[in-house]
Amino acid sequence: MLDLGSGTGRFTPALAEAFGGPVHGVEPSQKMRAIAESSTAHAAVAYLDGRAESIPLPAMSIDLVLMHLSFHHVRDRGAAAAEIARVLRADGRVLLRSTFSDRLPDLEWMRNVPRVREIEMQMFPSSRDVTRLFAAVGLQAIALVAIEEQLSSSLAEYAARLRMRAISTFEHMPEEKIAEGFARLDAAVAEEKQPRAVIRPSDLLVLGRQDR
Ligand SMILES: C[S@@+](CC[C@H](N)C(=O)[O-])C[C@H]1O[C@@H](n2cnc3c(N)ncnc32)[C@H](O)[C@@H]1O
């Protein structure tokens, strides 16, 4: 298996546990890989330097590719699709967990942070564009599944997590808009009497060769 854009290895050992190894976590950031190697090491997992556009693995060596929130970071998505098709076995599957511009969820914090929606419309590719990119290299969309993901158990916890700015949307926002958004979010947190889970709808695109 291949966890492509594995970051700090949040899911990489879980893939090995669920399906057996070997699992390759391919990640371009040396810093992320170092964290993965020290905090999410697993006997069946190897973290490798590489990127979606240039995967350091042989042709037809992979049964399952997972891209969890990494596809929209890829600069040359056409090259990435071609590389994924190269390493994937004939009956292999690609799981692409992403946000698509034509299926943006109405997030709690989108209502609270101004301009987020427009920024994310530009940041994320549409499901149609992604489907077309993969079709061009022989991989068809088998399913586009809406899944629900619990982000936190309360709005307060969610706001605290957002303050870490781990979401790339912030990189495109001016500081005054971010401050304005957090002021609104804090007001909503102050009104939260009972902790309420923040649940985010999200998309999983499953791809594979059609004739299989
Ligand atoms: C939001 S993180 C997701 C990490 C991990 N998959 C997770 O869900 O915890 C996005 C990751 O994509 C990586 N990335 C950026 N450009 C990439 C590329 N061209 N190919 C593969 N990964 C890339 C980043 O370094 C980062 O680790």
Side-chain angles (χ1 to χ4, degrees):
M1 269 157 295
L2 167 63
D3 186 3
L4 191 50
S6 47
T8 56
R10 201 152 54 114
F11 298 103
T12 330
L15 283 176
E17 289 295 316
F19 303 109
V23 180
H24 308 277
V26 168
E27 166 59 46
S29 157
Q30 197 272 329
K31 215 165 140 189
M32 296 277 212
R33 269 196 334 276
I35 297 172
E37 273 153 9
S38 62
S39 64
T40 55
H42 188 288
V45 169
Y47 293 106
L48 307 174
D49 182 13
R51 51 180 56 249
E53 301 94 322
S54 170
I55 301 172
L57 291 169
M60 297 184 73
S61 60
I62 295 295
D63 292 310
L64 180 74
V65 178
L66 171 69
M67 286 195 88
H68 191 276
L69 301 182
S70 56
F71 191 71
H72 69 280
H73 287 277
V74 174
R75 293 225 177 94
D76 188 344
R77 295 182 185 135
E83 270 294 85
I84 290 169
R86 179 184 69 79
V87 299
L88 198 68
R89 289 201 174 119
D91 55 356
R93 290 283 180 271
V94 181
L95 300 182
L96 215 147
R97 155 78 180 81
S98 191
T99 299
F100 299 107
S101 60
D102 52 334
R103 294 167 61 92
L104 280 185
D106 185 18
L107 295 185
E108 188 85 42
W109 71 295
M110 282 207 186
R111 290 193 291 273
N112 290 301
V113 182
R115 283 198 40 221
V116 168
R117 200 170 184 90
E118 295 101 278
I119 289 166
E120 295 207 332
M121 284 290 283
Q122 288 176 8
M123 219 170 76
F124 295 110
S126 74
S127 62
R128 279 184 298 273
D129 287 348
V130 175
T131 303
R132 255 186 244 128
L133 270 183
F134 280 97
V137 295
L139 293 173
Q140 315 299 328
I142 294 168
L144 179 54
V145 191
I147 48 174
E148 289 209 324
E149 205 175 41
Q150 180 169 326
L151 296 183
S152 63
S153 54
S154 70
L155 195 55
E157 185 193 319
Y158 185 52
R161 173 123 34 100
L162 267 190
R163 282 213 149 75
M164 294 180 192
R165 300 199 186 189
I167 297 172
S168 36
T169 307
F170 286 121
E171 290 161 25
H172 306 277
M173 293 178 72
E175 280 302 321
E176 75 271 15
K177 288 287 172 199
I178 295 175
E180 199 182 314
F182 275 119
R184 289 197 204 184
L185 190 54
D186 288 342
V189 169
E191 280 175 22
E192 186 182 42
K193 303 279 182 277
Q194 290 285 328
R196 194 163 50 89
V198 177
I199 295 173
R200 173 197 169 116
S202 152
D203 283 322
L204 183 69
L205 178 62
V206 184
L207 301 141
R209 291 193 174 82
Q210 200 172 37
D211 51 355
R212 292 279 151 181

